[in-house]
Amino acid sequence: MQDIFIEDVGSGIPLVLVHGFLGSSEMWTLQTDFFKRNFRVLAPALPGFGKSNKVKSCNSIESMAKSILTSLEKKKIERFYLLGHSMGGMIVQEMVKLADEKILKLICYGTGPRGNIPGRFETIDVSREKLKTNGLDNTAYRIAKTWFIEGEKSKYFYLCKEAGKQTSLEAADNALVAMKNWSGIENLKNIKNETLIIWGDQDKAYNLNQVETLKENITNSDLRIVDGCSHNVHLEKPDEFNTIVSEFLKKN
């Protein structure tokens, strides 16, 4: 397997940030700038996305999880904090399943345990159909608008627009297939890592039932709901998001 791109800045205990569907490592810019003061921040670009867009894409959540774990091993990173957003939240749940002893603390953000995402603004199959019909740029732009309360007028919408453009059509379709075929429900009871769940109260991708299922089934977990945000809390209210994450990582 080809190596994926990983932004690697700062020093200290490693903090790994996993982006979601149509994302890139650049979407964490406001987090890497903040956290690199106290942590070694690693932001991988998933196979077929962002700066890894020449790497063969994956059609399963498990293979995406393995690609990150393999890359971290090559960097000789033994233990780390782990945060995953959206589809990245599915990937980090899978990473816990594969290597829970490496993960110091887990953050599941804007995500859930069901890959077929009940209550999403449209079904996975509809997204796949529109991807084929309307093309990648149009689909990426349209979907990214739903991630912000203010849609494309949002200050950091451009980060999502750019990330969408870097994605290959094959990677986007493979990711939708990967999500549809994945379920983490059965594994939730096995997650013993201390876990923080973050959710925007107006998220159109993952409804409250999704995050409540995480909270109810992950034994050592806490749920933080951020008001006035859609799917991209880290870009809509970055200061609040960074503070929530920072407090969780620092507490004993």
Side-chain angles (χ1 to χ4, degrees):
M1 184 184 280
Q2 280 176 276
D3 288 347
I4 57 172
F5 169 82
I6 300 187
E7 184 172 1
D8 187 347
V9 294
S11 60
I13 299 172
L15 167 62
V16 178
L17 307 174
V18 183
H19 71 76
F21 180 59
L22 300 176
S24 72
S25 40
E26 286 82 10
M27 286 177 70
W28 296 115
T29 299
L30 305 178
Q31 284 64 52
T32 50
D33 287 351
F34 178 85
F35 286 106
K36 70 183 180 185
R37 291 173 246 165
N38 297 299
F39 300 92
R40 180 180 176 184
V41 184
L42 298 115
L46 293 167
F49 293 86
K51 289 181 179 171
S52 299
N53 62 8
K54 299 286 188 286
V55 179
K56 184 169 172 49
S57 62
C58 305
N59 63 2
S60 77
I61 297 297
E62 183 185 20
S63 53
M64 294 182 205
K66 284 178 175 173
S67 74
I68 296 173
L69 287 168
T70 301
S71 297
L72 294 175
E73 274 172 29
K74 286 182 180 175
K75 285 181 173 282
K76 302 204 166 17
I77 291 169
E78 296 300 322
R79 306 195 74 209
F80 50 89
Y81 295 121
L82 181 61
L83 185 159
H85 175 226
S86 195
M87 181 181 79
M90 301 177 195
I91 294 165
V92 300
Q93 289 174 62
E94 202 65 26
M95 287 171 72
V96 172
K97 193 172 168 183
L98 295 166
D100 66 327
E101 73 289 346
K102 293 187 172 185
I103 295 151
L104 297 161
K105 288 186 181 182
L106 176 67
I107 302 169
C108 294
Y109 152 47
T111 193
R114 295 180 179 89
N116 212 8
I117 318 180
R120 185 174 182 257
F121 61 91
E122 67 188 24
T123 66
I124 298 279
D125 285 340
V126 167
S127 289
R128 287 190 75 197
E129 204 49 54
K130 288 187 175 178
L131 183 64
K132 289 188 186 83
T133 308
N134 303 329
L136 181 65
D137 284 1
N138 179 291
T139 302
Y141 191 91
R142 181 181 62 81
I143 289 177
K145 283 200 297 186
T146 71
W147 297 341
F148 297 89
I149 296 285
E150 296 179 349
E152 70 268 53
K153 296 188 186 76
S154 186
K155 184 177 179 181
Y156 295 108
F157 176 78
Y158 76 93
L159 289 171
C160 301
K161 188 174 150 189
E162 290 308 309
K165 283 181 183 172
Q166 290 179 67
T167 309
S168 71
L169 187 66
E170 181 191 67
D173 192 54
N174 272 342
L176 288 167
V177 170
M179 285 192 278
K180 186 180 177 182
N181 292 335
W182 179 82
S183 174
I185 290 284
E186 287 304 310
N187 190 53
L188 293 179
K189 64 183 181 299
N190 300 321
I191 298 177
K192 303 294 185 253
N193 314 65
E194 188 179 353
T195 302
L196 174 65
I197 302 153
I198 303 174
W199 182 70
D201 70 336
Q202 295 179 56
D203 193 332
K204 294 183 181 70
Y206 293 82
N207 59 28
L208 181 60
N209 178 261
Q210 284 267 76
V211 291
E212 283 180 334
T213 304
L214 290 175
K215 173 75 185 80
E216 285 161 12
N217 291 279
I218 300 174
T219 316
N220 188 11
S221 66
D222 187 31
L223 171 61
R224 291 291 298 270
I225 296 174
V226 182
D227 294 336
C229 286
S230 184
H231 191 47
N232 277 359
V233 178
H234 70 296
L235 296 176
E236 291 188 287
K237 293 194 175 177
D239 293 344
E240 187 173 344
F241 179 87
N242 292 347
T243 300
I244 289 169
V245 172
S246 185
E247 286 172 354
F248 171 68
L249 296 180
K250 284 177 181 169
K251 89 177 161 123
N252 293 325

